Amino acid sequence: MLPLSACLYATAGRAPCTALSPSFPRNDSTNPRRVSYYGWRGPVAKARPGHLVRTTQLDKNATQDVPDARQSVETDVEPLDWNKVWYPVAIESDLNPIAPKPIQLLGRDFVLWNENGEWRCFEDVCPHRLAPLSEGRIEPSDGSLMCSYHGWRFDGGGNCVDIPQVKAKTHEEGSPCKNPRSKVKTFPAKVAGGLVWVWPDGSPSAYIDSSMSEPYYGGIDLESTVTIVPLFTREVPYSIETLGENLMDPSHVPYAHNGIQGSRDRAGYFEGKMEKVPEDSKATFRTFMASVLLPKKKNNRAPEEGKGESVVKRVVEFFEPTAVVYGAMMEGRMVFLMTPNSAEKSTIFFRAVVPSLPWFVKLMLKVTRPKWRAHLENNEVLDGDTVLLRAQGRTLRKAAQQGKKGDSNFFVPSSADVMIVKFRKWFHGKRGGGGPKLPNGDLLSSGLLETQLNKEEVLDRYHSHTKHCKACSGAMRNFGILEKCASVVAAGLSVSMLMMVQALSKSGGAGAGPIGKVVCVGLGALVALFVSFKSKQMKQKFVYTGYEHWAR
């Protein structure tokens, strides 16, 4: 079985990729590290958590790049129009083609629905009395979207095709359907990379503008690669700004995800270096990162200092405004996509692929790691971040609403934060403009703080993922059925065992045969109870699982 933690760790840079090679010094007199197939190997600077390390050539090269990352964004760049961007909003295979789906994007409400095989996106408001169209239904006779309040129906172009309350038909002169006010506002939508994307621009040129741009999902050729982590999505209770900087920060992994991805006991120092983006790349900027991986402890004792250490390398790229890509595991890619829902909500999409795998590994992954199990692992990883990021995001928003720049209080002395510094400069600079904007021109982040959530609400898995995922909702339902069936079997076997014991006591029988049957029935009841208990535990994992950092 290849767990997500192993995938992320491997993708962090244990395998070579010549296209992503860093410009750090290799084997020379000032840098005694040797290079192996699996990345940087050999002697490294002495490093222990909580201790200073001596500066090496690698340290100097990485640290010297930090001031460059802090420079202002170029003054000649055009501000990004956050409305004229393709955003992923759903995994297509998880959508029900006969049920409208409400979505939130850039602080606005939309509805996705399928018209005869084509996905459409409308403003989630009926022009009649402003009821939500996402509560409607798709009319089987012609595939139109019906508002459930009064039965008005609309085609894929947003045109009203029927108003039951009036006698005049759609095509007749004087029909209210010919009035422009009866039309629903529509937005471009398309399918790419297994995702449904929306272009949330309502201007007259939206369809022309969107046709000149393609959704970016990590440069993955799905036809010639093997997926090792299936598409996963979850809504998280913090902004795209907070999510973005978290995804560009691999140095938090061994601490926030201790025991799931990496270990705090093996975490050494981190260094980052901004790299020039290749001419054939669409990346906005890219960073090479190197980190010391300490050897495992033996008999609860740390090994001799400086021995058994290695350096893990990784390249992280940002593609404005929604994609973060890690490379490369066996020349594969790990792709994160971000969608801004509201001031304090965003949606993350994730998948990882490699060029190829042996057939037996593919079979092993298919048998031992079904999609729902992979998604449980993904959820556990996100749980390690969510409480921290929710609090961080709200702290920054409170400062902004008081006219202060929240990140001015950041203390980032390490080059491990070089990409975060660069991202925040981009986000709040001329290009990013401070993030998405509302229709009135205000920043999406300028709204009032949302209601404070308790920990169970922050880590809620059911509403943020399970109910939207066919694999996980199906697995949860199956575990529920198994729990009930096992409980019934346990109860039946328990009753049978009691009846057998009573019959033995009356007959005075004490033979090995009757007693053996009683024991077998009793063991069967215990097994059924165990299955029922474990099924209940598994079902709960799709709803909520507490996450306490102090206990890990």
Side-chain angles (χ1 to χ4, degrees), residues 4-268:
L4 174 63
S5 56
C7 168
L8 289 173
Y9 179 73
T11 310
R14 301 287 294 194
C17 179
T18 54
L20 301 174
S21 296
S23 55
F24 281 100
R26 301 226 172 192
N27 287 342
D28 56 35
S29 57
T30 62
N31 183 24
R33 296 176 180 81
R34 64 183 183 276
V35 179
S36 77
Y37 181 86
Y38 294 101
W40 293 97
R41 295 286 189 184
V44 296
K46 296 180 181 179
R48 287 291 184 273
H51 290 75
L52 294 175
V53 297
R54 69 175 182 266
T55 302
T56 64
Q57 186 67 35
L58 183 61
D59 298 325
K60 294 175 181 177
N61 284 347
T63 308
Q64 287 171 357
D65 220 285
V66 177
D68 295 336
R70 296 176 181 269
Q71 291 176 359
S72 300
V73 180
E74 294 86 348
T75 56
D76 59 343
V77 299
E78 292 184 8
L80 174 69
D81 188 340
W82 289 80
N83 289 304
K84 296 185 177 182
V85 173
W86 284 110
Y87 294 99
V89 294
I91 298 175
E92 186 190 19
S93 60
D94 285 334
L95 293 175
N96 185 346
I98 62 172
K101 179 180 175 60
I103 60 172
Q104 190 178 43
L105 181 58
L106 301 178
R108 293 177 280 158
D109 295 321
F110 300 86
V111 57
L112 270 185
W113 64 286
N114 193 287
E115 182 192 37
N116 302 318
E118 294 290 331
W119 288 102
R120 309 296 185 187
C121 182
F122 287 178
E123 185 176 27
D124 194 14
V125 175
C126 178
H128 177 214
R129 299 264 291 280
L130 310 184
L133 291 171
S134 56
E135 290 295 326
R137 65 187 296 272
I138 296 175
E139 174 58 38
S141 62
D142 60 0
S144 60
L145 178 62
M146 176 187 289
C147 177
S148 292
Y149 197 12
H150 293 91
W152 287 35
R153 292 191 290 116
F154 307 90
D155 65 18
N159 303 299
C160 180
V161 296
D162 185 43
I163 300 178
Q165 291 78 21
V166 298
K167 188 176 181 180
K169 300 301 179 184
T170 307
H171 62 277
E172 295 178 357
E173 196 66 35
S175 170
C177 288
K178 292 185 176 294
N179 190 313
R181 294 184 62 186
S182 70
K183 188 171 183 177
V184 180
K185 181 174 281 190
T186 68
F187 300 85
K190 70 186 306 181
V191 177
L195 298 167
V196 179
W197 304 69
V198 169
W199 182 278
D201 175 30
S203 68
S205 64
Y207 284 86
I208 296 176
D209 294 340
S210 63
S211 67
M212 300 171 65
S213 176
E214 287 296 323
Y216 184 80
Y217 48 94
I220 294 175
D221 183 358
L222 297 176
E223 299 296 326
S224 60
T225 55
V226 178
T227 297
I228 55 173
V229 179
L231 261 175
F232 168 82
T233 182
R234 178 171 169 176
E235 185 180 77
V236 291
Y238 40 86
S239 69
I240 188 175
E241 176 184 6
T242 302
L243 174 59
E245 72 168 52
N246 172 257
L247 295 178
M248 299 177 201
D249 174 26
S251 67
H252 81 279
V253 171
Y255 299 97
H257 308 299
N258 178 59
I260 304 171
Q261 293 178 337
S263 166
R264 65 172 74 96
D265 293 332
R266 301 190 64 192

Side-chain angles (χ1 to χ4, degrees), residues 161-391:
V161 296
D162 185 43
I163 300 178
Q165 291 78 21
V166 298
K167 188 176 181 180
K169 300 301 179 184
T170 307
H171 62 277
E172 295 178 357
E173 196 66 35
S175 170
C177 288
K178 292 185 176 294
N179 190 313
R181 294 184 62 186
S182 70
K183 188 171 183 177
V184 180
K185 181 174 281 190
T186 68
F187 300 85
K190 70 186 306 181
V191 177
L195 298 167
V196 179
W197 304 69
V198 169
W199 182 278
D201 175 30
S203 68
S205 64
Y207 284 86
I208 296 176
D209 294 340
S210 63
S211 67
M212 300 171 65
S213 176
E214 287 296 323
Y216 184 80
Y217 48 94
I220 294 175
D221 183 358
L222 297 176
E223 299 296 326
S224 60
T225 55
V226 178
T227 297
I228 55 173
V229 179
L231 261 175
F232 168 82
T233 182
R234 178 171 169 176
E235 185 180 77
V236 291
Y238 40 86
S239 69
I240 188 175
E241 176 184 6
T242 302
L243 174 59
E245 72 168 52
N246 172 257
L247 295 178
M248 299 177 201
D249 174 26
S251 67
H252 81 279
V253 171
Y255 299 97
H257 308 299
N258 178 59
I260 304 171
Q261 293 178 337
S263 166
R264 65 172 74 96
D265 293 332
R266 301 190 64 192
Y269 66 95
F270 248 86
E271 294 170 350
K273 175 182 174 66
M274 299 304 300
E275 287 198 327
K276 182 178 179 181
V277 177
E279 293 182 1
D280 60 346
S281 173
K282 297 180 180 179
T284 307
F285 50 81
R286 63 187 271 155
T287 306
F288 170 76
M289 293 201 173
S291 60
V292 170
L293 181 67
L294 305 178
K296 292 182 179 180
K297 292 182 178 179
K298 293 183 179 180
N299 299 323
N300 218 17
R301 296 175 60 185
E304 187 178 341
E305 209 165 300
K307 287 190 176 182
E309 299 174 352
S310 60
V311 177
V312 179
K313 62 180 181 180
R314 54 180 67 74
V315 171
V316 189
E317 296 179 299
F318 172 59
F319 298 80
E320 65 176 38
T322 62
V324 178
V325 180
Y326 278 67
M329 179 183 69
M330 295 181 288
E331 300 184 4
R333 296 172 78 82
M334 187 167 66
V335 181
F336 299 91
L337 301 173
M338 309 175 286
T339 296
N341 299 352
S342 66
E344 293 186 13
K345 287 183 182 177
S346 50
T347 300
I348 181 173
F349 295 85
F350 166 68
R351 70 152 38 110
V353 300
V354 293
S356 63
L357 284 175
W359 67 268
F360 58 89
V361 177
K362 293 180 185 178
L363 180 62
M364 181 183 68
L365 288 175
K366 188 174 182 179
V367 173
T368 63
R369 197 162 180 265
K371 185 182 289 187
W372 62 263
R373 182 179 291 277
H375 286 185
L376 284 181
E377 293 170 1
N378 297 148
N379 276 317
E380 188 175 15
V381 171
L382 285 177
D383 285 350
D385 287 323
T386 301
V387 173
L388 305 173
L389 298 181
R390 167 79 176 180

Side-chain angles (χ1 to χ4, degrees), residues 423-490:
F423 173 69
R424 297 194 71 85
K425 283 291 184 182
W426 172 88
F427 193 89
H428 292 285
K430 185 174 181 181
R431 181 62 176 167
K437 292 181 173 58
L438 297 168
N440 63 3
D442 292 341
L443 288 173
L444 179 63
S445 59
S446 64
L448 296 175
L449 286 171
E450 297 178 6
T451 305
Q452 183 68 47
L453 303 178
N454 60 42
K455 196 166 188 177
E456 188 168 344
E457 291 171 322
V458 171
L459 297 179
D460 170 47
R461 293 181 179 182
Y462 180 77
H463 294 94
S464 63
H465 170 75
T466 301
K467 77 172 187 178
H468 306 294
C469 175
K470 284 184 178 179
C472 291
S473 58
M476 180 181 172
R477 181 175 59 253
N478 292 338
F479 279 116
I481 294 172
L482 182 59
E483 177 195 359
K484 292 178 181 178
C485 291
S487 297
V488 170
V489 171

